[in-house]
Amino acid sequence: MLKRKTRIRPVDDARTHIQSLRDKPEFMERFIDNNKGRGVFATQPVEAGAFVLEYRGELISAEECRARDYTELQSTFLFEFEWQKRHWCIDASKEDGTLGRLINDNHKSPNCTMKKIIVNDTPHLCLFAVKKIEIGSEIEYNYGDSQWPWRKKEPKQQTSVIETKTSLTDHSSHDASNKDAVVTQEPKQQTSVIETKTSLTDHSSHDASNKDAVVTQEPKQVFTIKGFSLVNYTESDETDEYIKDNPPSPHCDVVRKKTRNGNIQVIGVADFSDPLIDSNESIVDETDEDSSLQSDNEVVPKNLLMDRVPNCSVPLNESSDDSIDEPSTPMSGMASQRPRRNCHRPIQRSLVESRSTGA
Ligand SMILES: C[S@@+](CC[C@H](N)C(=O)[O-])C[C@H]1O[C@@H](n2cnc3c(N)ncnc32)[C@H](O)[C@@H]1O
């Protein structure tokens, strides 16, 4: 007699791990390099759609989030989102040994996407695989459509130069006296940019029998600053009874700097004007038994005015206000330029250095 394999629904798996306060053992932290810092890697294969890790931290109000006087480095671990028409933040700045907070950005071909899951009437941010993840692969998700500093360093096109020791038939430009001359051949440029842009479908279907564990709208990325609301929070159609299923995509909204006299100045702000529906992000289909993710619906946030985000490979306790340069652009000057983002996804806010110096 054939035995049918019982699969745990990803959302139930997430719920179990949320409640147990444990990370899944199939993942481990590893130091990558001084640039990227630490990352999280799969020690077991992960099926597409599977729950991966929770982005754990302290759940605080957006107001509290703004009130926290964090360094640039700490601020990269703040992730704001919307729930029940209010704005919240997961503050994961504390080095607590959890893995979710260490997952790095990949905006081209992420293997995970963030979702909001409600357990005991409390929102949690969880990552789900959008494709099969092999052993040894780094877990990554899209931090958003921002000008993250490390992305600037990524080449859009890869050129590989092959050096071959050969005797060519065409010796026209070849020093005949040097028969073993090294000839460098440049093959055609290889483009390794993978972009999938699709419109987000409404996965509002929702397992009514499981009121505690519901994958909901993508939290809203909100970059805020002490004493200022930098984002126009638009009305959400999210309710307790009926929650749209849009995945979140993280990170960085407001670009702020702390001056040496302790004031905070805003240098730039993320774009929140674009509804999530316009973005491309993977979402969990709760109606699917396999709860597989639709990888062609990735969300990519837009227009962050960021110049530099602190490198988190530096331990938090090593960060110092002294390392923060004076911003060149005062908050008032930037206010009218503030891009806004209007999507239901969490945002980790992050800080940047002033683009110009000496202002
Ligand atoms: C939320 S932390 C992620 C964990 C971090 N790597 C660490 O070691 O603590 C975000 C920081 O990680 C680094 N980071 C994330 N994704 C990156 C990427 N694709 N390339 C380089 N650095 C990255 C940046 O320094 C960023 O400020």
Side-chain angles (χ1 to χ4, degrees):
M1 200 166 98
L2 280 176
K3 246 191 176 179
R4 213 179 154 184
K5 203 175 157 190
T6 320
R7 290 182 64 183
I8 304 173
R9 293 172 73 235
V11 70
D12 292 336
D13 195 23
R15 185 185 178 200
T16 302
H17 286 88
I18 287 168
Q19 289 175 322
S20 68
L21 296 173
R22 288 208 179 126
D23 283 339
K24 288 177 99 169
E26 299 98 297
F27 304 97
M28 62 172 283
E29 164 190 343
R30 208 180 77 201
F31 179 78
I32 302 168
D33 57 35
N34 286 332
N35 177 46
K36 212 169 178 185
R38 299 160 292 179
V40 176
F41 294 81
T43 59
Q44 297 292 322
V46 179
E47 292 303 314
F51 163 67
V52 174
L53 287 164
E54 180 183 359
Y55 185 88
R56 285 214 178 81
E58 185 187 359
L59 177 67
I60 56 175
S61 68
E63 293 76 28
E64 170 64 21
C65 177
R66 281 168 220 142
R68 293 197 172 179
D69 189 16
Y70 278 167
T71 63
E72 292 179 3
L73 184 59
Q74 288 170 316
S75 294
T76 66
F77 290 92
L78 297 172
F79 205 129
E80 286 195 32
F81 62 99
E82 183 183 293
W83 177 59
Q84 291 187 337
K85 301 189 179 186
R86 289 190 58 201
H87 302 281
W88 305 84
C89 172
I90 298 288
D91 179 352
S93 60
K94 193 172 161 198
E95 290 280 352
D96 60 359
T98 63
L99 295 175
R101 61 188 294 280
L102 301 182
I103 297 171
N104 289 316
D105 168 53
N106 183 336
H107 66 116
K108 290 178 181 170
S109 56
N111 50 26
C112 288
T113 191
M114 193 74 88
K115 305 288 291 182
K116 189 168 54 179
I117 302 222
I118 312 304
V119 174
N120 295 330
D121 212 25
T122 304
H124 296 263
L125 303 182
C126 293
L127 283 160
F128 292 83
V130 296
K131 53 181 145 184
K132 188 173 187 329
I133 303 173
E134 305 293 347
I135 294 179
S137 296
E138 183 179 359
I139 307 303
E140 296 168 312
Y141 63 116
N142 188 347
Y143 276 23
D145 195 13
S146 310
Q147 292 174 29
W148 297 97
W150 53 85
R151 291 183 187 174
K152 287 181 189 166
K153 295 175 191 164
E154 293 169 1
K156 286 217 167 130
Q157 290 185 316
Q158 281 182 348
T159 303
S160 53
V161 178
I162 302 167
E163 285 193 339
T164 52
K165 266 192 174 181
T166 178
S167 62
L168 297 180
T169 40
D170 178 7
H171 291 265
S172 54
S173 60
H174 188 197
D175 182 356
S177 65
N178 184 3
K179 287 179 184 162
D180 286 326
V182 174
V183 179
T184 301
Q185 294 180 320
E186 267 198 34
K188 282 183 185 167
Q189 283 193 331
Q190 289 176 342
T191 304
S192 63
V193 179
I194 303 162
E195 284 182 5
T196 51
K197 282 197 177 175
T198 58
S199 59
L200 183 75
T201 45
D202 182 352
H203 289 252
S204 50
S205 53
H206 159 207
D207 183 356
S209 64
N210 188 356
K211 285 179 183 157
D212 278 343
V214 178
V215 177
T216 70
Q217 287 178 324
E218 180 183 0
K220 184 178 288 184
Q221 282 196 338
V222 179
F223 210 75
T224 51
I225 203 82
K226 200 171 182 178
F228 297 91
S229 173
L230 299 177
V231 175
N232 282 336
Y233 295 111
T234 55
E235 282 295 299
S236 162
D237 48 7
E238 178 183 42
T239 69
D240 284 343
E241 295 78 33
Y242 186 77
I243 302 172
K244 278 174 75 179
D245 179 21
N246 293 331
S249 173
H251 300 276
C252 154
D253 298 338
V254 167
V255 179
R256 73 173 182 177
K257 289 182 83 167
K258 187 186 283 183
T259 63
R260 287 198 173 84
N261 62 12
N263 294 330
I264 301 293
Q265 289 184 303
V266 171
I267 300 166
V269 185
D271 182 356
F272 294 97
S273 61
D274 298 308
L276 180 65
I277 203 83
D278 288 339
S279 59
N280 49 342
E281 184 168 28
S282 304
I283 59 177
V284 174
D285 182 354
E286 288 298 310
T287 59
D288 185 338
E289 260 196 4
D290 291 333
S291 292
S292 60
L293 298 175
Q294 298 181 357
S295 60
D296 54 351
N297 286 320
E298 283 180 71
V299 164
V300 181
K302 293 178 181 173
N303 293 344
L304 278 187
L305 301 176
M306 294 190 61
D307 290 331
R308 189 181 70 82
V309 176
N311 189 332
C312 291
S313 60
V314 182
L316 287 176
N317 56 15
E318 282 182 24
S319 64
S320 136
D321 291 353
D322 291 338
S323 64
I324 304 169
D325 296 333
E326 289 282 337
S328 62
T329 313
M331 187 164 185
S332 58
M334 288 302 294
S336 61
Q337 301 172 30
R338 279 178 206 149
R340 298 265 188 271
R341 188 181 316 216
N342 174 21
C343 61
H344 301 284
R345 54 200 156 198
I347 290 189
Q348 234 172 0
R349 80 182 166 182
S350 198
L351 310 176
V352 295
E353 277 185 345
S354 166
R355 215 177 290 235
S356 58
T357 56

